[in-house]
Structure formats: structure tokens, C-alpha cells
């Protein structure tokens, strides 16, 4: 179903309905008000129904079916608004009435005895503060007029107003105008899937195949990666792109995800562009005064060092599980979010192959040299032109400066000042079919510095096709082979060495 068509959107996590749950003994959290010495003789429903000041709320209970629930044996606490507080409520709007009712009832008996402040989980999953104050008690900032009115199956607190229903982030996205693109994407990821754990086998068909009383659960893969914005138990600050921001950013980002046919082509381009638009929109907790922070980390682990600028074009809206900041312009720079440096550590074995040499892991601790992760590989030749090939996953269809970083021979012997030379072979996707080509590269300056680190520019290269790796597409098509370019004569003359020490491969984004 498409939730955009509803007047009000239900939360993403399916809540088990409390309707028609009769005859259950409430064993948890139940305690009685020590100030009440008279045994009650009315149920919650009867108490509210007979109170002349609670006629509107009593009517709302009947409309929603909660009159039957509050007439049963399970214990509840009801914060009942007086009639004057509900005069402006349209009781013909059954969805609104249900929201209000479920927002004022909690399971078990919740008395004021010994209470200071507590966060009460209501039947709709929302948390509302029930607090002791100098003037008495408050419920969600509404004054409590009467407290601890006992019924057979719970307590009633009479309040002077009512607490409006507060959207969570998931509901806010569903109800707010001008968030259609974001809403369509996020809500479109929700799927009902078979739940084998809670499905019960009830027999077999004529072919001997099992028949199940089938249970389903609602899942959303985007929220599983991004954050539970549909849950009341998690707090987030969200930067939400409106339709204008979404359209502008989509048109700008989609060119980074140009895939060949064997890697998903246009379908996958759309999927990854949409994910890129939301991947950095959530921050844990409520972000206040972001301009005073030196950094913020998104729920997907991306770090931003300019928090103030991210929120400069927004006004926060307080919600039940955080705050929403709607923006008409995406605040993330390409190179801060999706178009980032790619670094391949030479010491990592996965995706690495070597020819005409043996490889040894070495450390730079104590050397004073700035070696990435303090580790590098020693390329010990067994024959001329030793080489090491590195797989480079997750390149975008974009332009990069490609570097190879070498460690000097002096790291192990200060008297060894013999340089080496290198050449390279770049493998990349060139055809829409996914076929690869190679480009042989000898940089204009391909000699290393024997006394210090060498960040050698291999080439500037514009990849036509992206090569993003995930569970469905695992082929790493982009590779860089580092080959020693020293001849036997040069080595025998003592001018150069065939031994190489490689720190890492770096692809730096080039913006145009």
C-alpha cells in the first residue's frame, strides 16, 4: 500500500493492538496508591462514564472501542481531559479521536506516590513526562487537576487540558507537505516479508507440502542501515531535503553512478543515487547549537567538521523521537559526503597479487616517517620487473588523481640512499558491456626520494563507469599494478634498486 494516500500515517513498526485483550492478569509494574483506603467498586470505564466533567472523553472511548478495554480486568492508568479541554476537538474525525485516546492511556497503575518525574510509555508508544512540580503535578506540561482516583482495574488522573499527539520522524515525513520525493523513497522501501519464526504449521496440502498460518513482518532495508526513525525508543536529528533540494541534488549526483550493463545500469544508478541523498541525513540525539561543535558524526559513520553550516538553512521542529530540520538546499559538499578519497593500504592482502617478488609486512614505528597506518610492504624482487597489483573497489564515474606512496630505503638504513623507479598498469571499465581495458603509464617523474616519503602522481584519470561493490555486485574491475622500472644494468651500476617499499594507493577526487 502507498501510505502517501492516507490522511494520517501509521508508524512503521507494527504495534500489537491492545483491543479485545480481556482476561489477562497484569503482573508487571502494578502497585496501589497507599493513600487510597476504600476498595473501588467501579471499572475505569464506569468511573469515567459516570463523571459529569468527563463526558467528551467518555464519548471518545466509545467511538474508539476503548470503553470495552477499560471495562476489562487488565490494569491501566488514564489521564482523562476535562470537557472544557476537548471542546474544539472534532469527534467525527475518528483517526484524531483515536490518537488522543491512545495518547492518554498507559498500561498498569501509575500513581503519584513517591514520584518526582517519570517518562510514561503510552498505548501509542509515545513517551510523556509525568512530573511533580511546585504547584502539583503535570502530564506533558498539562496541569493535573485530580490524582490517584482508584478503579477496580486501574487509576484515573483528571487533567485540565489534553496532550496533542506528537509525530515521530517517520510520521512527520509522511504528513509534511513538500517532502514527497523523500517520502516516496523511504516509504517505498517498506516490505511485508514472511516471518518463519512466528508462522505456525497447521497441516499439509494434497501434495504433502506444509500449510502455514502465516505471519508477516514489516521491514525497511533503508531504515535498517540509516536508523530507526519510526521508533519512539531512539532519538535523532534529521536534515530532511524538500522536493527542491531533492531534485537539485539528484540531478547533480546521478552522474557519479554510471554503471555498465552487467552491474545494474540505470536501475542501480537510481538506487544508489537515492541512497546517497539520505545516507548522511541522520545524527544521533538532539543536536543543539551545532555551530559550537567541532564535528558531528552521522548514523552511517560519516564525519562532518562544519556542523554549523549543515543547519544554517533550517529551523528545527521538535518531534517525539528527535527533531526535523527541513532544507531546500542539500548542505553536503560532494567530497565531504559521497565523493571521497579512496585509500588502499598496501599491507592489506585482500585483492592484492604479486609477480616476480616476495612481499613482507614492515612497520614504520620509531622512524619519524608519516606512513599510513604505520605499516607498509617490502617488495623483494626474485626476478626483474617485480610488481604488485592492487584492487581498487568503489570508484565512482568521476575524475581522480591517482597516487602511489613509496617509503624510502633509508627507513631501515640511513646510509642507503638508493632510489627506485616505477611504472604502472591501470585496469578500468571501458565498455557498457562491462569489459575492461588497460592503460600502461610511466609518470614523467617516476623516481622515488631515497630520503623521504614519495607521493608519486601516477595519472589523472576520468572513470566513465562506476565500480561500486556490494552483496550483489562483487567484481572489482578497477586495478592498479605497481611495477619496478629499474633495469638489471641500472641496478648493477648501483644507481637504482629493484626493491620497493609501498605504503598505499590513493585516489583523490577532482572537482570541476
Amino acid at each position: 500500500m502507498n501510505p502517501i494516500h492516507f490522511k494520517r500515517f501509521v508508524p512503521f513498526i507494527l504495534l500489537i493492538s491492545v483491543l479485545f485483550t480481556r482476561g489477562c492478569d497484569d503482573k508487571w509494574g502494578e502497585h496501589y496508591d497507599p493513600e487510597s483506603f476504600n476498595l473501588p467498586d467501579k471499572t475505569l470505564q464506569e468511573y469515567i462514564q459516570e463523571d459529569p466533567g468527563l463526558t467528551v472523553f467518555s464519548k471518545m472511548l466509545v467511538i474508539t472501542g476503548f470503553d470495552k478495554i477499560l471495562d476489562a480486568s487488565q490494569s491501566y492508568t488514564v489521564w482523562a481531559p476535562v470537557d472544557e479541554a476537548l471542546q474544539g476537538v472534532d469527534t467525527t474525525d475518528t483517526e484524531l479521536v483515536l490518537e488522543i485516546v491512545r495518547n492518554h492511556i498507559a498500561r498498569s497503575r501509575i500513581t503519584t506516590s513517591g514520584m518526582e518525574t517519570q517518562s510514561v510509555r503510552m498505548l501509542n508508544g509515545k513517551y510523556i513526562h509525568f512530573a511533580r512540580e511546585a504547584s502539583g503535578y503535570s502530564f506533558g506540561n498539562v496541569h493535573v487537576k485530580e490524582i490517584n482516583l482508584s478503579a477496580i482495574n486501574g487509576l484515573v488522573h483528571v487533567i485540565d487540558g489534553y496532550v496533542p499527539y506528537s509525530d515521530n520522524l517517520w510520521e512527520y515525513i509522511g504528513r509534511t507537505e513538500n517532502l514527497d520525493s523523500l517520502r516516496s523513497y523511504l516509504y517505498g522501501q517498506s516490505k511485508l516479508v514472511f516471518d518463519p519464526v512466528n508462522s505456525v504449521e497447521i497441516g499439509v496440502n494434497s501434495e504433502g507440502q506444509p500449510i502455514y498460518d502465516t505471519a508477516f513482518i514489516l521491514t525497511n532495508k533503508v531504515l535498517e542501515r540509516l536508523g530507526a526513525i519510526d521508533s519512539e525508543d531512539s532519538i535523532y536529528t534529521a536534515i530532511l531535503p524538500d522536493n527542491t533540494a531533492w531534485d537539485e541534488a539528484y540531478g547533480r549526483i546521478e552522474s557519479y553512478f554510471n554503471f555498465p550493463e552487467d552491474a545494474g545500469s540505470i536501475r542501480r544508478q537510481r538506487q544508489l543515487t537515492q541512497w546517497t541523498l539520505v545516507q548522511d541525513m541522520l545524527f544521533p540525539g538532539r543536536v543543539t547549537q551545532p555551530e559550537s561543535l567541532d564535528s558531528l558524526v552521522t548514523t552511517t559513520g560519516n564525519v562532518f567538521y562544519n556542523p554549523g553550516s549543515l543547519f544554517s538553512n533550517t529551523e528545527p521542529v521538535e518531534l517525539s523521537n528527535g527533531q526535523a530540520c527541513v532544507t531546500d538546499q542539500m548542505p553536503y559538499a560532494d567530497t565531504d559526503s559521497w565523493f571521497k578519497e579512496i585509500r588502499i593500504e598496501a599491507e592489506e592482502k585482500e585483492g592484492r597479487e604479486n609477480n616476480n617478488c616476495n612481499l613482507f609486512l614492515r612497520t614504520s614505528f620509531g622512524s619519524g616517517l608519516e606512513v599510513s597506518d604505520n605499516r607498509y610492504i617490502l617488495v623483494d624482487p626474485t626476478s626483474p620487473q617485480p610488481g604488485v597489483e592492487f584492487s581498487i573497489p568503489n570508484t565512482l564515474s568521476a575524475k581522480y588523481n591517482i597516487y602511489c606512496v613509496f617509503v624510502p630505503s633509508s627507513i631501515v638504513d640511513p646510509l642507503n640512499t638508493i632510489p627506485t623507479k616505477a611504472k604502472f598498469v591501470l585496469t578500468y571499465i571501458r565498455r557498457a558491456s562491462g569489459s575492461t581495458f588497460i592503460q600502461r603509464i610511466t609518470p614523467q617523474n617516476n623516481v622515488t626520494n631515497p630520503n623521504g616519503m614519495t607521493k608519486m602522481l601516477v595519472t589523472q584519470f576520468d572513470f566513465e563507469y562506476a565500480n561500486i561493490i556490494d552483496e550483489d555486485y562483487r567484481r572489482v574491475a578497477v586495478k592498479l599494478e605497481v611495477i619496478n622500472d629499474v633495469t638489471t644494468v641500472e641496478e648493477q651500476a648501483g644507481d637504482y634498486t629493484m626493491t620497493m617499499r609501498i605504503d598505499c594507493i590513493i585516489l583523490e577526487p577532482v572537482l570541476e
Side-chain angles (χ1 to χ4, degrees):
M1 65 181 177
N2 186 349
I4 299 174
H5 296 162
F6 283 96
K7 180 177 180 181
R8 289 184 171 85
F9 294 84
V10 298
F12 161 68
I13 294 178
L14 296 179
L15 298 177
I16 301 175
S17 175
V18 298
L19 296 176
F20 311 115
T21 54
R22 294 174 176 267
C24 297
D25 289 333
D26 186 9
K27 298 296 184 183
W28 62 272
E30 182 172 352
H31 52 281
Y32 293 89
D33 177 20
E35 298 174 3
S36 178
F37 295 100
N38 296 322
L39 293 176
D41 58 359
K42 295 183 178 67
T43 65
L44 288 166
Q45 167 58 21
E46 290 170 338
Y47 190 99
I48 294 170
Q49 184 180 25
E50 294 177 12
D51 189 320
L54 302 177
T55 58
V56 179
F57 190 68
S58 178
K59 178 182 177 181
M60 297 171 91
L61 294 177
V62 174
I63 292 171
T64 58
F66 271 83
D67 57 329
K68 298 179 178 64
I69 294 173
L70 298 185
D71 205 29
S73 60
Q74 192 171 11
S75 294
Y76 296 96
T77 297
V78 181
W79 285 264
V82 296
D83 287 345
E84 292 81 1
L86 298 171
Q87 289 303 316
V89 176
D90 180 6
T91 55
T92 64
D93 186 343
T94 56
E95 290 183 26
L96 173 61
V97 171
L98 181 61
E99 280 184 355
I100 294 174
V101 168
R102 286 164 57 87
N103 209 40
H104 289 76
I105 303 175
R107 289 183 180 273
S108 79
R109 296 173 183 263
I110 301 173
T111 177
T112 60
S113 178
M115 187 193 77
E116 291 300 328
T117 299
Q118 60 178 309
S119 187
V120 181
R121 185 179 178 91
M122 312 310 293
L123 290 186
N124 58 12
K126 305 292 180 179
Y127 288 92
I128 297 178
H129 287 296
F130 188 29
R132 181 192 297 270
E133 297 181 346
S135 59
Y137 295 89
S138 66
F139 176 70
N141 297 323
V142 174
H143 176 67
V144 181
K145 183 177 180 181
E146 298 180 70
I147 61 172
N148 304 329
L149 305 174
S150 285
I152 296 172
N153 58 342
L155 293 173
V156 176
H157 305 291
V158 178
I159 57 179
D160 283 339
Y162 79 92
V163 180
Y165 182 89
S166 177
D167 286 335
N168 60 32
L169 280 161
W170 179 258
E171 295 164 327
Y172 181 82
I173 291 170
R175 301 185 191 210
T176 303
E177 294 182 359
N178 208 27
L179 295 180
D180 309 80
S181 298
L182 176 63
R183 175 169 57 244
S184 178
Y185 172 61
L186 292 180
Y187 277 50
Q189 306 307 306
S190 296
K191 308 291 182 185
L192 276 175
V193 299
F194 173 65
D195 180 9
V197 175
N198 295 305
S199 295
V200 180
E201 187 175 341
I202 58 176
V204 295
N205 61 18
S206 59
E207 299 178 355
Q209 298 170 327
I211 301 173
Y212 291 92
D213 182 6
T214 307
F216 293 91
I217 55 175
L218 195 62
T219 65
N220 188 303
K221 289 187 176 180
V222 170
L223 295 195
E224 289 171 6
R225 297 174 64 187
L226 191 64
I229 61 174
D230 57 299
S231 171
E232 301 296 329
D233 297 318
S234 302
I235 304 297
Y236 303 98
T237 295
I239 298 179
L240 306 177
D242 68 9
N243 294 339
T244 300
W246 183 279
D247 292 343
E248 183 280 327
Y250 190 99
R252 177 163 44 91
I253 294 172
E254 66 175 338
S255 62
Y256 288 96
F257 298 103
N258 181 32
F259 290 101
E261 294 167 358
D262 69 335
S265 193
I266 295 176
R267 174 185 60 81
R268 194 157 173 243
Q269 180 184 43
R270 178 173 177 80
Q271 289 175 345
L272 286 179
T273 301
Q274 290 174 321
W275 165 249
T276 300
L277 288 170
V278 303
Q279 69 177 15
D280 291 320
M281 81 177 205
L282 278 191
F283 300 86
R286 282 186 165 87
V287 177
T288 59
Q289 297 182 326
E291 64 281 355
S292 66
L293 302 174
D294 61 355
S295 64
L296 274 177
V297 183
T298 68
T299 55
T300 54
N302 202 6
V303 182
F304 289 92
Y305 295 98
N306 57 341
S309 65
L310 296 180
F311 296 89
S312 61
N313 193 36
T314 66
E315 288 292 335
V317 176
E318 292 300 321
L319 302 171
S320 65
N321 66 346
Q323 55 188 20
C325 302
V326 177
T327 181
D328 61 2
Q329 183 177 0
M330 278 290 196
Y332 316 111
D334 299 18
T335 51
D336 287 338
S337 182
W338 60 89
F339 187 28
K340 305 185 77 173
E341 175 189 281
I342 299 173
R343 184 177 294 246
I344 307 299
E345 297 294 345
E347 63 269 14
E348 297 297 332
K349 294 181 179 180
E350 186 175 355
R352 187 187 71 190
E353 295 183 2
N354 54 293
N355 299 296
N356 303 329
C357 61
N358 294 317
L359 302 183
F360 300 96
L361 176 62
R362 295 290 184 261
T363 179
S364 64
F365 282 111
S367 69
L369 295 174
E370 293 185 5
V371 177
S372 180
D373 284 353
N374 292 306
R375 295 182 296 170
Y376 64 94
I377 58 169
L378 172 66
V379 183
D380 186 24
T382 57
S383 60
Q385 293 195 331
V388 185
E389 184 179 67
F390 301 94
S391 294
I392 306 176
N394 300 321
T395 51
L396 303 181
S397 44
K399 187 178 292 186
Y400 295 88
N401 285 330
I402 304 176
Y403 297 92
C404 181
V405 181
F406 293 92
V407 178
S409 54
S410 60
I411 192 171
V412 294
D413 181 2
L415 299 179
N416 184 350
T417 57
I418 302 176
T420 190
K421 296 192 294 184
K423 58 185 178 182
F424 305 87
V425 176
L426 177 64
T427 303
Y428 61 98
I429 303 170
R430 187 173 175 182
R431 302 292 188 202
S433 63
S435 60
T436 58
F437 280 57
I438 64 170
Q439 180 173 324
R440 301 183 185 277
I441 305 165
T442 301
Q444 185 175 0
N445 183 6
N446 71 331
V447 179
T448 63
N449 177 1
N451 297 307
M453 301 292 292
T454 301
K455 184 178 179 181
M456 185 180 294
L457 177 62
V458 178
T459 188
Q460 184 178 96
F461 195 83
D462 194 353
F463 292 96
E464 183 177 356
Y465 295 99
N467 186 211
I468 306 297
I469 309 305
D470 57 28
E471 59 184 11
D472 296 320
Y473 298 92
R474 299 183 178 275
R475 181 177 74 115
V476 183
V478 178
K479 300 180 180 181
L480 183 70
E481 184 177 12
V482 184
I483 305 171
N484 190 273
D485 198 29
V486 176
T487 65
T488 303
V489 173
E490 288 175 323
E491 184 171 59
Q492 290 175 346
D495 296 327
Y496 299 96
T497 177
M498 291 185 186
T499 300
M500 297 186 294
R501 293 172 175 83
I502 305 175
D503 177 13
C504 60
I505 306 298
I506 301 174
L507 276 69
E508 291 182 355
V510 176
L511 291 175
E512 295 181 322

